[in-house]
Amino acid sequence: MSLPSTYRRSESSMLEHQTWCDRGFEPTETSLANMMKAQGLVQKFKVGNLLSYLGRLNPLPIGVSKHDAVWLLDNIAFRGPGGTWQGEFVTAVFDARVSTKFVEAVGDIAEKVGLSKGDQQEKTIEERIIPFLMEVLPGRRVDIVYGESTKMRLGPGGRNGISSDLKKLPDSTGGTVVKSVATVPSGAGGLLKMNTFYAEPEGWAVISDIDDTIKITQTSDPVGILRSTFVAEPTPIAGMPELYWQVRDMVTPSAPWFYLSASPYNLYPFLRDFTHRYYPRGQLILRDASWMTIPGLLSNLTLGTQKYKVDRMKKLYEWLPKRKVLCIGDSTQSDPEAYGEMYRKHPEWIKLILIRKVTDIAAVGTETKNAPKRFEDAFKGVPREVWHVFEDPAECPARFNMSSEGAATKRQKSNKDVPYTLVYWPEIPGRGEFIRLALEEAGAEYVDTAKAEGGIDELMAHVKGEKPDDDTNPPIFAPPILKHGDLVISQTPNILLYLGPRLGLVPGADEDPDALYKVNELALTALDGLSNEPHDCHHPIASELYYEDQKEEAKRKAEHYVKTRLPKFLGYFERVLNSKASGEGPYLYAGKLSYADLVLFQCLDGLKFMFPKAMAKLDKEGKHSKLFELYDAIKQRPKIKEYLEGPRRQKYSSGLYRYYEEFDIEG
């Protein structure tokens, strides 16, 4: 069986060749190519684009038109010669006007992956196939505004429509994120915004594969690739989001992440959305070969991956030679060989290699790819303590040996060496849930009276004024109540203000002396508008009255809240997440998880229960994308996920967030 003409045998391992032959990649790719030709979807270059062969030397570049789609790709800034900041800016330009003939191809692809004609999932195929069918536009230049006012001209692009420019950047500090916006005519679309993450020369960096390392792709099966790319909901590998957020905490948010994949750049928006949803943000490095073809997708993902990845890692080494690198990949492709080769070239650079042994794909050749000898050969000359093959991501943290400079900010220890006690009502999450989430995320030892025998008696003793009975703690008005040693305090924001520094849920005072007050400000705003006001929807007149006694007023209050107040507060937090103070990543302040993020998560979760239609509509509109990304990121954090899925998490009922059918409007 022959290999594609673009493939050179020397670029691939025998395992790639064996997989290509045994799994029937050639007939699948050939049939896709024939299908594309039959539908008239094979692109042709125009004579007028011949100058694009000159790449950046093209003397007559063309500007972007209103019919074009421009993609700006997120990047990393690094210090070049003399310590000046610079970054590689990659752009792509297409003709957004796709031939209507592509609809005919959708049915053919649906048939390839086992769908019947007219299946509702064909709509998903339509959406995902378009980046493969838009005509690339060679020789285009793109103008952008970097940061507040720095103007840059990128390109012109080469034959594949992609341009790559190394640009000097304004001075900044490590961990800073700067946004850029493309300057295009009205009507032009695409990915017109990008982020540049500043990475200092030293510290940790992470290089990760995507397909079958963090995302289910089934790269050993041609039909599996097509299904996971064009049909299936992108799904993370079980346990990997939790592992990656744990790694991020260890290497600190200022560490750069590189997602190095053999996928083509056509998949950039798809993979960018996926990584943003489940994993720490970073720079996607994808393959520009076979840019315009669906058949080329199969070649890209399965052939010549070792040479391609080593070549890209050489560039990363040139950018950040003093960084200590953690490499993560899997056994389906040539990740072990690529990482092993790179280690032998620069042993001082790569400190740890983690390879996921893929055993959940029933494919020919899996045993060979997972054989101990394969890994021993791949890592020949690499010290055994540097590489580790795992099946369960939970194995990996034991392999980490991050130095103090790369470790996450250490949690401040309390001088009260006793567990915390949370005193709150049983059977409802209520305001006690904001406290529980902080304690759970920190892994703190605590007693929850809501789950303890005699807990209600303890609570009522405080409500009645029988406790605390001492000369240092004032009487309590209402729960939640926190007891820690001799201290007894109440009021949700007050408790969080106390716990935040002790649980490591605010930046340390040594690095940011005012962080506690900024985090508390955000938490108070969330509690005001997304917790207290929703409560007032079902009790607008008096807390002592039953809901049924104020039902008409409650309905009116809820309608006003859903239509006016809810969008206002969600819009505010979206602005916060888009601000410079938010930093890199999905969190509200300084790129680090704080108790304000946990408060906001609980508010959003409660609102999803109380106003499901309104929240679904706001999510679908896309105006609050970063807000819902934060929600998903918190939900995937290991300890939070375990808590939410376990028995300690109480179900919503008649507490703070309540569901009434008359409240369930879209707004």
Side-chain angles (χ1 to χ4, degrees):
M1 184 173 289
S2 61
L3 295 172
S5 58
T6 56
Y7 169 72
R8 291 179 294 171
R9 181 65 172 273
S10 61
E11 292 183 359
S12 178
S13 68
M14 290 300 296
L15 284 173
E16 289 177 334
H17 177 223
Q18 180 181 341
T19 299
W20 181 270
C21 296
D22 293 346
R23 296 298 294 165
F25 276 82
E26 183 187 36
T28 304
E29 185 171 87
T30 300
S31 64
L32 283 171
N34 291 337
M35 177 269 290
M36 298 291 289
K37 290 177 182 177
Q39 302 294 351
L41 294 172
V42 177
Q43 299 177 19
K44 299 178 181 179
F45 286 120
K46 301 174 183 177
V47 175
N49 289 331
L50 289 176
L51 287 175
S52 64
Y53 278 111
L54 299 175
R56 294 176 59 196
L57 300 178
N58 183 346
L60 299 174
I62 304 171
V64 174
S65 78
K66 65 179 181 180
H67 302 298
D68 298 344
V70 176
W71 291 0
L72 302 182
L73 278 55
D74 294 343
N75 65 351
I76 300 290
F78 55 92
R79 291 193 184 273
T84 58
W85 288 103
Q86 55 186 330
E88 181 184 46
F89 287 75
V90 178
T91 65
V93 184
F94 315 85
D95 187 334
R97 298 169 294 182
V98 179
S99 169
T100 55
K101 291 183 179 181
F102 88 93
V103 177
E104 301 171 20
V106 170
D108 292 326
I109 293 180
E111 186 177 358
K112 274 268 185 271
V113 299
L115 300 179
S116 58
K117 290 286 186 180
D119 192 290
Q120 61 180 2
Q121 288 183 304
E122 286 189 358
K123 184 65 177 177
T124 303
I125 299 176
E126 285 183 29
E127 295 172 354
R128 296 186 189 173
I129 200 176
I130 287 178
F132 288 86
L133 302 177
M134 291 191 297
E135 182 181 355
V136 297
L137 297 177
R140 264 52 176 185
R141 67 169 186 266
V142 179
D143 294 323
I144 69 170
V145 176
Y146 180 85
E148 297 293 333
S149 58
T150 303
K151 295 182 178 180
M152 293 185 187
R153 174 158 288 180
L154 308 177
R159 297 299 291 167
N160 56 9
I162 303 174
S163 66
S164 175
D165 298 85
L166 193 62
K167 294 286 188 179
K168 291 185 178 180
L169 302 176
D171 192 29
S172 190
T173 56
T176 300
V177 179
V178 176
K179 302 180 186 298
S180 298
V181 180
T183 304
V184 298
S186 176
L191 304 176
L192 303 179
K193 297 180 180 179
M194 64 173 290
N195 292 324
T196 299
F197 179 82
Y198 280 69
E200 292 285 3
E202 299 184 1
W204 282 89
V206 179
I207 299 175
S208 171
D209 177 49
I210 295 178
D211 299 294
D212 291 322
T213 296
I214 63 173
K215 172 185 168 291
I216 296 174
T217 303
Q218 296 183 307
T219 51
S220 295
D221 177 25
V223 175
I225 291 174
L226 295 176
R227 185 181 295 111
S228 64
T229 301
F230 294 113
V231 180
E233 181 69 19
T235 305
I237 301 293
M240 294 303 282
E242 296 91 330
L243 173 63
Y244 275 46
W245 287 110
Q246 189 171 357
V247 169
R248 184 180 184 272
D249 285 346
M250 290 181 174
V251 300
T252 78
S254 63
W257 289 66
F258 299 95
Y259 293 99
L260 175 56
S261 170
S263 293
Y265 269 112
N266 310 65
L267 292 176
Y268 179 82
F270 175 69
L271 294 177
R272 180 178 183 268
D273 290 346
F274 170 77
T275 55
H276 280 195
R277 189 174 185 85
Y278 295 106
Y279 296 99
R281 296 189 180 187
Q283 179 174 343
L284 280 170
I285 303 175
L286 305 177
R287 214 167 180 177
D288 57 13
S290 303
W291 171 268
M292 298 178 295
T293 67
I294 294 174
L297 170 67
L298 302 181
S299 300
N300 271 357
L301 279 171
T302 55
L303 298 175
T305 59
Q306 179 180 343
K307 182 178 184 300
Y308 155 73
K309 290 194 173 185
V310 170
D311 180 68
R312 296 303 186 271
M313 284 190 285
K314 287 179 181 177
K315 178 179 286 188
L316 298 182
Y317 175 77
E318 292 174 359
W319 293 355
L320 300 166
K322 295 181 180 179
R323 284 271 175 177
K324 295 174 290 186
V325 179
L326 166 61
C327 297
I328 310 176
D330 67 86
S331 62
T332 62
Q333 298 174 300
S334 296
D335 292 339
E337 288 76 16
Y339 292 150
E341 180 179 344
M342 198 62 194
Y343 179 91
R344 288 186 288 273
K345 292 178 184 294
H346 301 289
E348 79 288 353
W349 194 53
I350 295 179
K351 300 299 182 183
L352 180 62
I353 300 170
L354 299 175
I355 298 295
R356 176 178 176 258
K357 182 194 291 186
V358 180
T359 59
D360 50 0
I361 297 177
V364 176
T366 300
E367 290 185 4
T368 304
K369 290 183 176 182
N370 290 336
K373 187 177 186 306
R374 184 261 175 111
F375 299 121
E376 291 167 5
D377 291 343
F379 296 119
K380 186 176 181 179
V382 181
R384 189 62 187 84
E385 64 271 16
V386 171
W387 61 276
H388 176 65
V389 179
F390 68 93
E391 293 185 45
D392 183 355
E395 303 171 28
C396 297
R399 297 282 168 172
F400 300 154
N401 184 24
M402 309 301 183
S403 65
S404 58
E405 63 180 300
T409 303
K410 295 181 179 178
R411 302 195 185 282
Q412 300 178 26
K413 294 183 178 179
S414 170
N415 56 8
K416 302 178 176 70
D417 190 21
V418 293
Y420 299 96
T421 297
L422 172 64
V423 182
Y424 199 67
W425 301 106
E427 305 299 331
I428 57 173
R431 291 181 173 86
E433 200 63 18
F434 300 110
I435 316 302
R436 292 189 187 98
L437 287 171
L439 294 166
E440 291 287 345
E441 168 61 30
E445 185 180 355
Y446 74 102
V447 175
D448 187 350
T449 63
K451 294 284 187 178
E453 185 177 350
I456 188 65
D457 296 330
E458 174 76 7
L459 183 146
M460 293 308 299
H462 284 84
V463 171
K464 293 177 180 178
E466 297 169 2
K467 292 183 178 181
D469 185 19
D470 57 53
D471 57 2
T472 59
N473 293 295
I476 297 297
F477 181 75
I481 303 162
L482 183 78
K483 298 171 67 176
H484 194 210
D486 297 330
L487 177 70
V488 183
I489 56 176
S490 65
Q491 292 288 352
T492 303
N494 189 46
I495 294 172
L496 292 170
L497 193 69
Y498 175 78
L499 289 176
R502 289 164 174 78
L503 301 180
L505 292 174
V506 291
D510 53 340
E511 60 178 298
D512 190 346
D514 300 324
L516 177 60
Y517 311 109
K518 298 169 186 174
V519 168
N520 197 50
E521 169 189 305
L522 295 167
L524 288 168
T525 305
L527 290 169
D528 281 346
L530 302 176
S531 175
N532 296 336
E533 289 198 27
H535 172 271
D536 292 345
C537 287
H538 50 75
H539 280 78
I541 296 178
S543 297
E544 292 80 7
L545 295 176
Y546 289 109
Y547 167 70
E548 289 72 17
D549 297 329
Q550 46 195 325
K551 192 171 182 179
E552 287 303 314
E553 294 87 350
K555 182 179 179 182
R556 184 180 176 188
K557 173 74 173 179
E559 288 178 355
H560 178 266
Y561 179 78
V562 168
K563 293 178 181 179
T564 306
R565 301 293 289 172
L566 178 59
K568 182 175 183 178
F569 277 96
L570 296 191
Y572 165 72
F573 282 106
E574 185 72 12
R575 293 205 317 272
V576 172
L577 290 165
N578 278 298
S579 70
K580 293 180 180 179
S582 173
E584 174 67 9
Y587 302 127
L588 289 168
Y589 182 70
K592 299 179 180 180
L593 178 77
S594 71
Y595 69 79
D597 298 297
L598 299 173
V599 168
L600 184 55
F601 165 81
Q602 176 58 22
C603 289
L604 294 173
D605 197 67
L607 291 167
K608 281 172 171 279
F609 173 79
M610 188 170 181
F611 304 111
K613 289 181 180 177
M615 291 296 286
K617 180 184 177 183
L618 289 165
D619 188 2
K620 187 176 181 180
E621 286 176 349
K623 296 179 181 179
H624 310 92
S625 58
K626 288 188 179 295
L627 190 62
F628 288 103
E629 285 176 11
L630 178 146
Y631 175 84
D632 290 335
I634 298 292
K635 201 170 185 178
Q636 290 299 323
R637 291 187 68 86
K639 291 174 183 174
I640 296 297
K641 183 178 181 181
E642 179 185 358
Y643 169 66
L644 295 177
E645 296 174 352
R648 296 191 301 278
R649 173 75 164 182
Q650 301 193 49
K651 295 181 179 180
Y652 295 108
S653 55
S654 59
L656 176 60
Y657 296 104
R658 306 183 184 186
Y659 177 81
Y660 293 108
E661 187 175 354
E662 52 268 29
F663 286 6
D664 195 10
I665 60 175
E666 289 191 346

